[in-house]
Every structure is written in C-alpha cells, then in structure tokens.
Amino acid sequence: MNRNRILTIQDISCVGQCSLTVALPILAACGHETVILPTAVLSSHTGGFTDPNFRNLAEDLPKISACWQREHIDFDAVLTGYLGSVSMIDTVKEICTANGKPGCLRIMDPAMGDHGRLYKGFDEAYAQAMKQMVAGSDIALPNITEAAMMTGLPYKEEYGEDYIRSLMQAMLDMGTGAVILTGVSYEPGTTGVATLDRSGAATYYSHEKIGKGMHGTGDIFAAAFTGAYLNRKTFGEAARIAADFACSAIRVSQNDPAHAYGTKYELVLPQLMEQAR
C-alpha cells in the first residue's frame, strides 16, 4: 500500500452521504491521509430535501491555502468535486498550484450536469470555466453529459463505442491526461465505465445497472477510484474497483425507503479496503 496525503475540495452536505462526507472516509479506508477543504456547508444535499441551509465558504479558501503554505503543508494529489461557481473554480485552480507538491496528481470530477442538462444554477459560463480547469487535470472523471458540454460534441442518449471513444479522445485533445467516462451503457440493464489515456490504451468495464441510481454515487466512485489508483492499481483496475464498490453500495441500500437520500456505503467499506489496499 502506498500512503499519500490527499486534498479533496468539494462541499459538505451534512446529511445526504455525498461530497466530502463520503470522500474523507473512503480515502482514509484506502489508507491515505486525507485533508478536506470545504467549498460550502449545506444542511443536506438538494436532492429531495426542502430549502436546505447553505453557507458559501469561498472567502475562506485562499486564507486556508495561505496557512498551509506558511506551515509547508502540501499534497501528493488533489481530488475536486462539486464547486458551484466560476469564482470558486478559479480559486481551486490557484490552490492546486500553490499547495500541490511537484508532480501533484490532479483528479477532477466536473460535477455539473447529467441527462443532457446542466444542474440547476449553472450556465454556459460555468461549463466553460470548468472546461478550462479540467483541461489541466491528470485524470478527468466526467459523465457523458459533462464530457459533451466540455468538448462541444453533441450529447446522445443512444450511442455506440465509436461515439464514446470520440468523447474521450476529445477530452484528451482538450488537454486532460486521461479520462474515465462514467455511466456508459451499451446494453439494456447494464452500465459501466470507459477509460482512455494518452498511450491510446482503452478499457471498458460493464456491470449490472441497479434501479435508477442514488444520490452521491458519483462522489463515491471518484473517491474509491482515487484511493485505489494511488495505491498503484492500474488505471483500469482502479476504475473497476470503484465501479464495483459503488454498485455494492447501491445494492445494499436500494430497498430502504428511509434511506433514499444516499447509499449505506459504510456497510461495504470492507470490500473496498480489501480490493483497493
């Protein structure tokens, strides 16, 4: 196992099991020192909860970064997730440069849309700012919607392998070092992840599609992939481990109506610890 110090930058949704509240325990379970930088604090995520309380922490991030610089605290890797504003994207770009070690691995989940649409509150300016940030990543983790928005290619709900390859290649042409495209389905009842790196090596891993999905599974996948990859799993192996973990988390949670706001991923953390470490 290769222990690293990882910084993950995204919001804290106090209830809902997504963003930082899943990234911290998952990365720690993979054996890494995990430092969090919250972009905002919400009483809960916005999926199914009424009028959650929200506090933006944008003004604090540069001050925290400066404190770390004074203390010579830096990071082997940075994992970014939901950011929320163009100004926050600019701040995060600066922090990656200021607080990353030489060769710091930048893993970025664009977290801005799905099903062909941007999330509520985002616009084209946000998508373009995210494109500029992700272009500087070592590994990008978009879904099909996000990849299409950043590359300018058309979004398709029905597609074949050629379309998926073209999306991933366009991401590489944009500047990212490697791409994992999530939510890729070639057959009914399945979904999966496709990968492509600059060597031209491509993989596809398919698994059962369980129900309609649950909140936070993208965050779970991103954290599990990062934890496994930094333990020197291959690119494709880490994607498979993360996909299996997210699938298991959905499976143990899907029949609990009292827990519809997120997965009970804690129940399957031993699976991830065994596979990722």
Side-chain angles (χ1 to χ4, degrees):
M1 183 180 70
N2 191 42
R3 180 175 169 83
N4 296 271
R5 180 189 287 156
I6 303 172
L7 171 64
T8 179
I9 309 174
Q10 46 195 309
D11 69 278
I12 292 178
S13 292
C14 299
V15 173
Q17 296 182 293
C18 62
S19 57
L20 285 183
T21 61
V22 300
L24 173 58
I26 288 172
L27 289 166
C30 291
H32 305 294
E33 178 185 352
T34 307
V35 176
I36 64 170
L37 186 56
T39 57
V41 178
L42 295 84
S43 56
S44 65
H45 62 61
T46 57
F49 293 97
T50 302
D51 193 23
N53 186 69
F54 175 89
R55 180 175 292 275
N56 192 318
L57 301 178
E59 292 184 1
D60 296 282
L61 266 63
K63 300 173 185 177
I64 294 171
S65 173
C67 289
W68 289 341
Q69 291 177 66
R70 288 197 301 270
E71 298 294 336
H72 305 290
I73 297 171
D74 52 16
F75 303 96
D76 300 292
V78 178
L79 168 64
T80 68
Y82 184 93
L83 300 180
S85 70
V86 171
S87 62
M88 187 68 77
I89 291 173
D90 292 339
T91 298
V92 169
K93 287 165 64 176
E94 294 171 1
I95 289 171
C96 287
T97 299
N99 299 106
K101 293 180 180 179
C104 175
L105 186 71
R106 303 182 183 191
I107 302 176
M108 297 181 176
D109 178 358
M112 63 178 176
D114 206 355
H115 305 297
R117 300 183 301 275
L118 286 167
Y119 295 144
K120 184 178 179 180
F122 291 162
D123 56 16
E124 182 61 25
Y126 185 86
Q128 290 304 308
M130 182 60 73
K131 173 182 177 179
Q132 294 303 314
M133 187 177 84
V134 172
S137 68
D138 296 293
I139 301 173
L141 306 174
N143 58 32
I144 294 173
T145 296
E146 293 157 348
M149 288 178 173
M150 287 188 289
T151 61
L153 294 177
Y155 169 75
K156 295 183 179 181
E157 293 187 355
E158 296 183 2
Y159 49 79
E161 293 182 20
D162 288 346
Y163 172 71
I164 296 301
R165 179 70 181 236
S166 69
L167 272 182
M168 294 192 293
Q169 184 59 54
M171 290 289 298
L172 298 186
D173 294 342
M174 193 176 82
T176 190
V179 59
I180 301 177
L181 197 61
T182 60
V184 178
S185 176
Y186 296 130
E187 297 179 1
T190 68
T191 188
V193 292
T195 74
L196 182 67
D197 63 25
R198 290 197 172 276
S199 73
T203 67
Y204 176 64
Y205 179 66
S206 174
H207 56 81
E208 175 190 6
K209 184 174 183 179
I210 305 173
K212 297 181 180 180
M214 302 186 74
H215 292 291
T217 52
D219 301 332
I220 287 171
F221 175 88
F225 167 80
T226 300
Y229 186 70
L230 287 170
N231 279 337
R232 298 180 181 172
K233 300 296 182 181
T234 68
F235 195 45
E237 284 175 339
R240 175 188 57 79
I241 288 169
D244 282 344
F245 177 61
C247 192
S248 294
I250 295 171
R251 187 176 291 112
V252 299
S253 311
Q254 62 177 334
N255 295 321
D256 185 353
H259 207 276
Y261 53 81
T263 71
K264 298 187 285 189
Y265 73 93
E266 302 93 337
L267 300 178
V268 290
L269 268 178
Q271 169 188 321
L272 178 65
M273 294 171 69
E274 179 180 355
Q275 294 180 353
R277 296 173 68 170

